[in-house]
Amino acid sequence: MPLTAPQPRGRRWRIILHGVAVLGLTVLTQLGGLAWLAALAFRRGRLAFLAIFILAYVALWGGAQFAAPVFGRVPLPCSGEVLRTQSRLYCVLLRNFVTPEMADVALDAAQAVAVRFPGTVTLALDGGFPFLDGMPLVPHLSHDDGEKLDFAFYYADTVHGDGAYLPGLTASAIGYFSFLRLGKETCPPVWPTLRWEMRWMEPLHRSIGLEPERTRALIGALAKDPRVGKIFVEPPVAAALGVAGEKIRFQGCRAARHDDHIHVQL
Ligand SMILES: [Zn+2]
């Protein structure tokens, strides 16, 4: 005879689903799982659950903007003419935090490009979470200490237009995964790999091309900065742009490909 009453099947599923939601939100935003748990503690019906989740997330989000600097992370700007995140989604999801030094590196490089090419806006992608060293920003392997940051390429109207620079635009809606695919594939097929092809996203991309002058200038400005340790660019992209140097490297075949964005670390 069982010692405990069997759990109703619906209740077991609810626990699993809430567990998945907490885990997923934590992986995506670091603090979203806590907001979900807060909503679980106070829930009174589905609408109230959603309202409490949103309120709790907004409160945690606002608190992180003030508390993270105490722990050594600052948010990159979500709006701005010289440097901003590619989309406000990066800010909403708390993925725009870096160390103050990394923030200075980003702003200095963006300003260097804007001085050479007035009107240029440099777009940051994933940086890091507001708290805790060692918690990676999935799917990145290394964005776990605020000292790593991705930049979007600059784009121009090269496909249908006159090749003019397109401020604030990227080929992909999120800045990632619009791969240039220059030259022959450098890596053998290995498993597991983060070298995703993401071909299903291709019909969703804008028909615009790489703006080489500004992209070259950004990589150059980052490479010149003594605070920067490494810059990851796919070798055919580096060759096409004519950038080279000790800091400009290939990330290896197991990591994500870098012919859709630039990775920089201190
Ligand atoms: Zn990166």
Side-chain angles (χ1 to χ4, degrees):
M1 211 174 129
L3 293 174
T4 53
Q7 297 241 342
R9 194 177 263 214
R11 187 176 149 76
R12 212 178 307 153
W13 271 112
R14 267 209 303 279
I15 292 170
I16 291 170
L17 285 176
H18 283 305
V20 169
V22 169
L23 191 70
L25 285 163
T26 303
V27 166
L28 193 65
T29 71
Q30 191 175 63
L31 303 181
L34 290 176
W36 194 270
L37 287 174
L40 268 180
F42 293 103
R43 69 180 159 156
R44 301 277 186 279
R46 277 187 193 169
L47 214 60
F49 180 92
L50 190 67
I52 293 169
F53 167 69
I54 291 170
L55 275 175
Y57 188 73
V58 168
L60 287 166
W61 188 93
Q65 310 301 314
F66 293 101
V70 178
F71 296 94
R73 305 269 176 97
V74 292
L76 287 173
C78 314
S79 61
E81 293 305 312
V82 173
L83 172 71
R84 64 170 179 253
T85 53
Q86 184 267 349
S87 152
R88 284 178 196 260
L89 197 64
Y90 288 98
C91 297
V92 170
L93 299 179
L94 294 164
R95 299 171 74 96
N96 61 323
F97 284 81
V98 289
T99 61
E101 193 178 25
M102 184 77 246
D104 286 345
V105 165
L107 189 59
D108 289 351
Q111 268 164 349
V113 181
V115 164
R116 252 184 93 185
F117 303 98
T120 300
V121 52
T122 297
L123 302 175
L125 303 173
D126 272 335
F129 285 134
F131 306 108
L132 293 179
D133 279 359
M135 177 174 173
L137 189 79
V138 172
H140 308 274
L141 295 177
S142 68
H143 288 232
D144 63 350
D145 58 4
E147 296 194 347
K148 283 90 183 179
L149 176 64
D150 292 341
F151 287 102
F153 288 155
Y154 303 92
Y155 287 87
D157 195 4
T158 53
V159 180
H160 301 300
D162 56 0
Y165 164 59
L166 298 166
L169 274 192
T170 52
S172 138
I174 57 166
Y176 288 105
F177 305 138
S178 176
F179 302 114
L180 294 175
R181 303 186 203 283
L182 302 179
K184 273 209 319 209
E185 171 60 44
T186 23
C187 288
V190 289
W191 193 91
T193 181
L194 289 171
R195 222 177 147 72
W196 302 328
E197 288 288 333
M198 306 298 276
R199 290 205 184 263
W200 63 270
M201 275 183 80
E202 278 175 15
L204 306 172
H205 297 325
R206 291 187 182 96
S207 296
I208 57 179
L210 181 76
E211 201 291 313
E213 303 291 329
R214 288 164 176 81
T215 308
R216 186 183 300 123
L218 178 67
I219 296 171
L222 290 168
K224 246 193 262 167
D225 192 320
R227 296 166 292 185
V228 168
K230 289 181 201 166
I231 303 163
F232 290 151
V233 185
E234 206 77 9
V237 179
L241 290 171
V243 292
E246 205 188 308
K247 292 181 187 175
I248 300 169
R249 309 210 189 149
F250 176 49
Q251 72 286 341
C253 286
R254 289 217 184 260
R257 46 194 296 166
H258 288 81
D259 57 349
D260 61 332
H261 72 279
I262 301 159
H263 168 101
V264 60
Q265 61 188 69
L266 301 183

